[in-house]
Protein backbone atom coordinates (compact mmCIF):
# COMPACT_ATOMS: atom_id res chain seq x y z
CA UNK A 1 0.00 0.00 0.00
CA UNK A 2 2.88 2.37 0.70
CA UNK A 3 3.98 2.01 -2.91
CA UNK A 4 0.57 2.77 -4.44
CA UNK A 5 0.31 5.70 -6.82
CA UNK A 6 -2.27 8.45 -6.41
CA UNK A 7 -4.28 6.90 -9.22
CA UNK A 8 -4.32 3.50 -7.50
CA UNK A 9 -5.17 4.95 -4.08
CA UNK A 10 -8.18 6.71 -5.63
CA UNK A 11 -9.52 3.67 -7.42
CA UNK A 12 -8.23 4.71 -10.87
CA UNK A 13 -10.67 7.63 -10.86
CA UNK A 14 -9.76 10.90 -12.61
CA UNK A 15 -9.56 14.23 -10.81
CA UNK A 16 -6.18 13.97 -9.07
CA UNK A 17 -2.64 15.01 -9.92
CA UNK A 18 0.33 12.74 -9.27
CA UNK A 19 0.92 14.45 -5.94
CA UNK A 20 -2.69 13.87 -4.87
CA UNK A 21 -4.15 17.36 -5.32
CA UNK A 22 -7.90 17.03 -5.91
CA UNK A 23 -9.87 18.98 -8.51
CA UNK A 24 -12.50 20.27 -6.06
CA UNK A 25 -13.09 20.25 -2.33
CA UNK A 26 -15.49 17.31 -2.81
CA UNK A 27 -13.50 15.08 -5.16
CA UNK A 28 -11.53 13.18 -2.51
CA UNK A 29 -14.68 12.46 -0.53
CA UNK A 30 -16.31 10.88 -3.59
CA UNK A 31 -13.26 8.76 -4.40
CA UNK A 32 -13.05 7.70 -0.74
CA UNK A 33 -16.62 6.40 -0.79
CA UNK A 34 -15.89 4.56 -4.04
CA UNK A 35 -12.62 2.95 -2.92
CA UNK A 36 -13.78 1.97 0.57
CA UNK A 37 -16.97 0.45 -0.83
CA UNK A 38 -14.94 -1.73 -3.19
CA UNK A 39 -12.60 -2.79 -0.37
CA UNK A 40 -15.56 -4.00 1.70
CA UNK A 41 -17.12 -5.71 -1.30
CA UNK A 42 -13.83 -7.39 -2.19
CA UNK A 43 -13.45 -8.69 1.37
CA UNK A 44 -16.98 -10.10 1.28
CA UNK A 45 -16.25 -11.61 -2.12
CA UNK A 46 -13.04 -13.29 -0.97
CA UNK A 47 -14.80 -14.84 2.04
CA UNK A 48 -17.72 -16.00 -0.11
CA UNK A 49 -15.50 -17.45 -2.82
CA UNK A 50 -13.38 -19.17 -0.17
CA UNK A 51 -16.40 -20.79 1.47
CA UNK A 52 -17.72 -21.91 -1.89
CA UNK A 53 -14.37 -23.47 -2.77
CA UNK A 54 -14.05 -25.13 0.61
CA UNK A 55 -17.56 -26.60 0.37
CA UNK A 56 -16.92 -27.86 -3.16
CA UNK A 57 -13.75 -29.65 -2.03
CA UNK A 58 -14.73 -30.83 1.46
CA UNK A 59 -18.11 -32.19 0.44
CA UNK A 60 -17.30 -33.55 -3.01
CA UNK A 61 -18.43 -37.04 -3.89
CA UNK A 62 -15.72 -39.56 -3.02
CA UNK A 63 -14.93 -42.70 -4.97
CA UNK A 64 -17.34 -45.46 -4.11
CA UNK A 65 -20.01 -43.18 -2.70
CA UNK A 66 -23.54 -43.29 -4.07
CA UNK A 67 -26.83 -41.65 -3.33
CA UNK A 68 -27.39 -38.21 -1.83
CA UNK A 69 -25.39 -36.86 1.12
CA UNK A 70 -27.05 -36.21 4.44
CA UNK A 71 -29.30 -33.16 4.14
CA UNK A 72 -29.13 -30.48 6.86
CA UNK A 73 -32.07 -28.13 7.48
CA UNK A 74 -33.01 -25.35 9.82
CA UNK A 75 -29.57 -24.44 11.09
CA UNK A 76 -30.72 -21.33 12.92
CA UNK A 77 -27.29 -19.87 13.84
CA UNK A 78 -26.13 -19.99 10.22
CA UNK A 79 -29.44 -18.62 8.91
CA UNK A 80 -29.33 -15.76 11.40
CA UNK A 81 -25.72 -15.06 10.44
CA UNK A 82 -26.32 -14.81 6.70
CA UNK A 83 -29.40 -12.66 7.31
CA UNK A 84 -27.79 -10.19 9.69
CA UNK A 85 -24.49 -9.71 7.85
CA UNK A 86 -26.03 -8.58 4.52
CA UNK A 87 -28.45 -6.37 6.45
CA UNK A 88 -25.56 -4.68 8.26
CA UNK A 89 -23.70 -4.23 4.97
CA UNK A 90 -26.71 -2.63 3.27
CA UNK A 91 -27.31 -0.28 6.21
CA UNK A 92 -23.62 0.63 6.26
CA UNK A 93 -23.48 1.42 2.54
CA UNK A 94 -26.66 3.47 2.85
CA UNK A 95 -25.40 5.42 5.86
CA UNK A 96 -22.07 6.43 4.32
CA UNK A 97 -23.69 7.24 0.98
CA UNK A 98 -26.40 9.36 2.63
CA UNK A 99 -23.78 11.17 4.69
CA UNK A 100 -21.66 12.08 1.66
CA UNK A 101 -24.67 12.90 -0.48
CA UNK A 102 -25.95 15.32 2.15
CA UNK A 103 -22.61 17.16 1.97
CA UNK A 104 -22.54 17.12 -1.82
CA UNK A 105 -26.08 18.49 -2.00
CA UNK A 106 -25.46 21.30 0.49
CA UNK A 107 -25.40 24.63 -1.32
CA UNK A 108 -23.59 27.82 -0.39
CA UNK A 109 -25.89 30.49 1.02
CA UNK A 110 -23.83 33.28 -0.50
CA UNK A 111 -21.34 31.83 -3.02
CA UNK A 112 -18.47 33.87 -4.43
CA UNK A 113 -19.60 32.91 -7.94
CA UNK A 114 -23.10 32.16 -9.23
CA UNK A 115 -23.38 30.69 -12.72
CA UNK A 116 -26.30 29.40 -14.76
CA UNK A 117 -25.44 26.48 -17.05
CA UNK A 118 -28.06 25.76 -19.69
CA UNK A 119 -28.18 22.53 -21.68
CA UNK A 120 -29.71 22.53 -25.15
CA UNK A 121 -29.70 20.16 -28.10
CA UNK A 122 -26.74 19.82 -28.41
CA UNK A 123 -24.52 22.37 -26.72
CA UNK A 124 -24.19 24.60 -23.66
CA UNK A 125 -24.75 28.22 -22.67
CA UNK A 126 -23.13 29.76 -19.59
CA UNK A 127 -24.35 32.87 -17.81
CA UNK A 128 -22.23 34.51 -15.11
CA UNK A 129 -24.76 36.08 -12.78
CA UNK A 130 -24.30 39.45 -11.10
CA UNK A 131 -26.15 41.16 -8.28
CA UNK A 132 -29.26 42.38 -10.12
CA UNK A 133 -32.42 40.27 -9.90
CA UNK A 134 -33.22 40.87 -13.57
CA UNK A 135 -29.70 39.78 -14.61
CA UNK A 136 -29.01 43.18 -16.11
CA UNK A 137 -25.41 42.96 -14.92
CA UNK A 138 -24.88 39.35 -16.01
CA UNK A 139 -22.58 38.30 -18.83
CA UNK A 140 -22.79 35.16 -20.90
CA UNK A 141 -21.38 32.94 -23.63
CA UNK A 142 -23.28 30.76 -26.08
CA UNK A 143 -21.91 27.51 -27.43
CA UNK A 144 -22.54 25.26 -30.39
CA UNK A 145 -22.11 21.52 -30.56
CA UNK A 146 -18.78 19.93 -31.42
CA UNK A 147 -18.02 19.67 -35.11
CA UNK A 148 -15.65 16.75 -35.71
CA UNK A 149 -13.20 16.67 -38.58
CA UNK A 150 -13.25 13.83 -41.12
CA UNK A 151 -10.76 11.87 -38.98
CA UNK A 152 -12.87 12.36 -35.86
CA UNK A 153 -10.68 15.03 -34.23
CA UNK A 154 -12.54 17.79 -32.39
CA UNK A 155 -11.33 21.36 -32.13
CA UNK A 156 -11.19 21.80 -28.36
CA UNK A 157 -10.85 25.58 -28.61
CA UNK A 158 -14.23 25.78 -30.39
CA UNK A 159 -16.12 23.97 -27.63
CA UNK A 160 -18.27 25.88 -25.13
CA UNK A 161 -16.03 26.78 -22.20
CA UNK A 162 -17.01 27.42 -18.60
CA UNK A 163 -14.59 29.58 -16.61
CA UNK A 164 -14.26 29.15 -12.84
CA UNK A 165 -12.00 30.95 -10.35
CA UNK A 166 -9.80 28.70 -8.24
CA UNK A 167 -10.42 28.49 -4.48
CA UNK A 168 -13.74 30.37 -4.72
CA UNK A 169 -17.11 28.97 -3.70
CA UNK A 170 -19.21 28.24 -6.79
CA UNK A 171 -22.89 27.47 -7.23
CA UNK A 172 -24.02 26.35 -10.67
CA UNK A 173 -27.72 26.57 -11.46
CA UNK A 174 -28.57 23.84 -13.97
CA UNK A 175 -31.32 24.39 -16.52
CA UNK A 176 -32.50 22.76 -19.75
CA UNK A 177 -33.95 24.43 -22.80
CA UNK A 178 -35.60 21.32 -24.19
CA UNK A 179 -35.11 17.68 -23.14
CA UNK A 180 -33.33 16.02 -20.20
CA UNK A 181 -29.58 16.59 -20.14
CA UNK A 182 -26.94 15.79 -17.52
CA UNK A 183 -24.13 18.14 -16.56
CA UNK A 184 -20.96 16.11 -16.02
CA UNK A 185 -17.46 17.47 -15.40
CA UNK A 186 -15.52 14.22 -15.51
CA UNK A 187 -12.64 15.07 -13.18
CA UNK A 188 -15.03 16.51 -10.58
CA UNK A 189 -16.56 13.02 -10.16
CA UNK A 190 -20.13 14.28 -9.99
CA UNK A 191 -22.98 14.90 -12.39
CA UNK A 192 -26.50 16.22 -12.13
CA UNK A 193 -29.51 16.07 -14.40
CA UNK A 194 -31.12 19.16 -15.86
CA UNK A 195 -34.65 19.20 -17.18
CA UNK A 196 -37.58 21.53 -17.70
CA UNK A 197 -39.82 21.97 -14.69
CA UNK A 198 -37.18 21.81 -11.99
CA UNK A 199 -33.85 23.59 -11.79
CA UNK A 200 -31.01 21.76 -10.07
CA UNK A 201 -28.00 23.24 -8.30
CA UNK A 202 -24.46 22.12 -7.63
CA UNK A 203 -22.09 23.80 -5.18
CA UNK A 204 -18.35 23.20 -4.80
CA UNK A 205 -14.98 24.92 -4.64
CA UNK A 206 -12.45 24.34 -7.45
CA UNK A 207 -9.08 23.72 -5.82
CA UNK A 208 -6.74 23.29 -8.76
CA UNK A 209 -6.17 25.32 -11.91
CA UNK A 210 -6.38 23.51 -15.21
CA UNK A 211 -8.63 22.53 -18.09
CA UNK A 212 -11.19 19.79 -17.52
CA UNK A 213 -13.45 17.96 -19.96
CA UNK A 214 -17.22 17.99 -19.63
CA UNK A 215 -20.07 16.34 -21.48
CA UNK A 216 -23.74 15.51 -21.36
CA UNK A 217 -24.28 12.20 -19.55
CA UNK A 218 -27.93 11.70 -20.53
CA UNK A 219 -28.92 10.40 -23.96
CA UNK A 220 -30.66 13.47 -25.37
CA UNK A 221 -30.97 12.93 -29.09
CA UNK A 222 -29.12 12.36 -32.34
CA UNK A 223 -26.05 14.49 -31.57
CA UNK A 224 -25.76 13.63 -27.87
CA UNK A 225 -22.16 12.50 -28.32
CA UNK A 226 -21.24 15.95 -29.65
CA UNK A 227 -22.63 17.78 -26.60
CA UNK A 228 -19.20 18.54 -25.16
CA UNK A 229 -17.71 21.43 -23.22
CA UNK A 230 -14.55 22.40 -21.37
CA UNK A 231 -14.04 23.87 -17.92
CA UNK A 232 -11.12 26.20 -17.26
CA UNK A 233 -10.25 26.79 -13.62
CA UNK A 234 -8.13 29.93 -13.55
CA UNK A 235 -6.87 32.57 -11.15
CA UNK A 236 -9.31 35.19 -9.91
CA UNK A 237 -7.60 37.85 -12.01
CA UNK A 238 -7.89 35.78 -15.19
CA UNK A 239 -11.51 35.01 -14.37
CA UNK A 240 -12.34 38.71 -14.01
CA UNK A 241 -10.53 39.44 -17.28
CA UNK A 242 -12.67 36.85 -19.02
CA UNK A 243 -15.90 38.36 -17.68
CA UNK A 244 -14.69 41.77 -18.83
CA UNK A 245 -14.10 40.39 -22.34
CA UNK A 246 -17.68 39.13 -22.48
CA UNK A 247 -18.94 42.53 -21.38
CA UNK A 248 -16.81 44.26 -24.00
CA UNK A 249 -18.29 41.97 -26.65
CA UNK A 250 -21.79 43.10 -25.67
CA UNK A 251 -22.79 39.72 -24.24
CA UNK A 252 -24.61 41.18 -21.27
CA UNK A 253 -28.01 40.89 -19.64
CA UNK A 254 -30.24 37.84 -19.41
CA UNK A 255 -29.06 35.22 -21.89
CA UNK A 256 -32.62 34.12 -22.59
CA UNK A 257 -33.33 37.49 -24.24
CA UNK A 258 -30.55 36.81 -26.76
CA UNK A 259 -31.06 33.09 -27.33
CA UNK A 260 -31.54 31.82 -30.87
CA UNK A 261 -31.95 28.06 -31.08
CA UNK A 262 -31.35 27.96 -34.82
CA UNK A 263 -27.68 28.80 -34.36
CA UNK A 264 -27.16 25.34 -32.92
CA UNK A 265 -28.64 23.29 -35.74
CA UNK A 266 -25.99 21.28 -37.61
CA UNK A 267 -25.61 21.43 -41.35
CA UNK A 268 -27.37 24.76 -41.87
CA UNK A 269 -24.48 26.12 -43.92
CA UNK A 270 -24.65 29.42 -42.06
CA UNK A 271 -21.41 31.43 -41.96
CA UNK A 272 -19.40 31.08 -38.78
CA UNK A 273 -20.74 33.35 -36.04
CA UNK A 274 -24.12 33.95 -37.74
CA UNK A 275 -26.94 33.84 -35.23
CA UNK A 276 -24.67 34.53 -32.29
CA UNK A 277 -25.09 37.68 -30.26
Amino acid sequence: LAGCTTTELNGYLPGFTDDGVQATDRTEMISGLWVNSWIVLLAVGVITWGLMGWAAIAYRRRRGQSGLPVQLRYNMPIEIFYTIVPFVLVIGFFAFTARDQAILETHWEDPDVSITAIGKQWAWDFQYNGEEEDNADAVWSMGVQAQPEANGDIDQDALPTLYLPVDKTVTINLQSRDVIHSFWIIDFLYKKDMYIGRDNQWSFTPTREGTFAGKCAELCGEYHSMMLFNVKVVSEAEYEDYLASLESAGQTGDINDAYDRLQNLPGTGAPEGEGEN
Side-chain angles (χ1 to χ4, degrees), residues 7-209:
T7 299
E8 292 167 341
L9 289 174
N10 288 282
Y12 297 94
L13 294 175
F16 298 88
T17 59
D18 291 339
D19 56 359
V21 179
Q22 57 182 340
T24 75
D25 62 326
R26 310 289 172 82
T27 308
E28 192 170 14
M29 179 179 63
I30 298 172
S31 72
L33 179 63
W34 170 266
V35 171
N36 291 326
S37 297
W38 274 109
I39 290 175
V40 173
L41 292 172
L42 182 60
V44 172
V46 169
I47 294 173
T48 303
W49 298 326
L51 290 174
M52 291 171 62
W54 173 76
I57 295 173
Y59 298 104
R60 71 189 186 279
R61 183 186 296 275
R62 265 69 170 188
R63 181 177 299 177
Q65 288 183 333
S66 62
L68 296 174
V70 176
Q71 303 297 299
L72 300 177
R73 300 178 182 177
Y74 308 114
N75 189 313
M76 291 303 294
I78 292 180
E79 292 185 15
I80 291 173
F81 174 78
Y82 65 61
T83 300
I84 291 179
V85 170
F87 179 77
V88 171
L89 289 172
V90 170
I91 293 299
F93 282 124
F94 173 81
F96 286 111
T97 302
R99 179 201 64 184
D100 290 355
Q101 182 175 329
I103 297 173
L104 289 166
E105 293 297 326
T106 298
H107 305 297
W108 313 117
E109 294 183 2
D110 186 22
D112 297 323
V113 175
S114 174
I115 296 172
T116 300
I118 305 172
K120 59 187 181 182
Q121 292 177 312
W122 287 272
W124 306 88
D125 297 338
F126 300 117
Q127 177 169 292
Y128 303 85
N129 302 315
E131 301 295 332
E132 302 295 334
E133 291 187 7
D134 62 354
N135 292 324
D137 58 342
V139 295
W140 47 260
S141 66
M142 285 186 183
V144 297
Q145 71 193 57
Q147 301 291 325
E149 302 292 341
N151 62 357
D153 291 343
I154 293 175
D155 183 2
Q156 295 294 318
D157 294 333
L159 294 179
T161 301
L162 172 64
Y163 277 75
L164 300 174
V166 69
D167 294 327
K168 297 293 182 181
T169 56
V170 174
T171 292
I172 300 181
N173 304 295
L174 302 170
Q175 300 177 7
S176 171
R177 293 199 187 277
D178 34 57
V179 299
I180 299 177
H181 301 287
S182 187
F183 186 79
W184 182 25
I185 305 175
I186 299 171
D187 281 27
F188 291 8
L189 303 185
Y190 203 59
K191 57 187 176 183
K192 295 201 71 172
D193 284 354
M194 47 217 305
Y195 45 92
I196 294 177
R198 177 181 175 181
D199 295 341
N200 274 335
Q201 288 184 316
W202 180 19
S203 295
F204 58 91
T205 301
T207 54
R208 172 164 54 86
E209 294 187 24

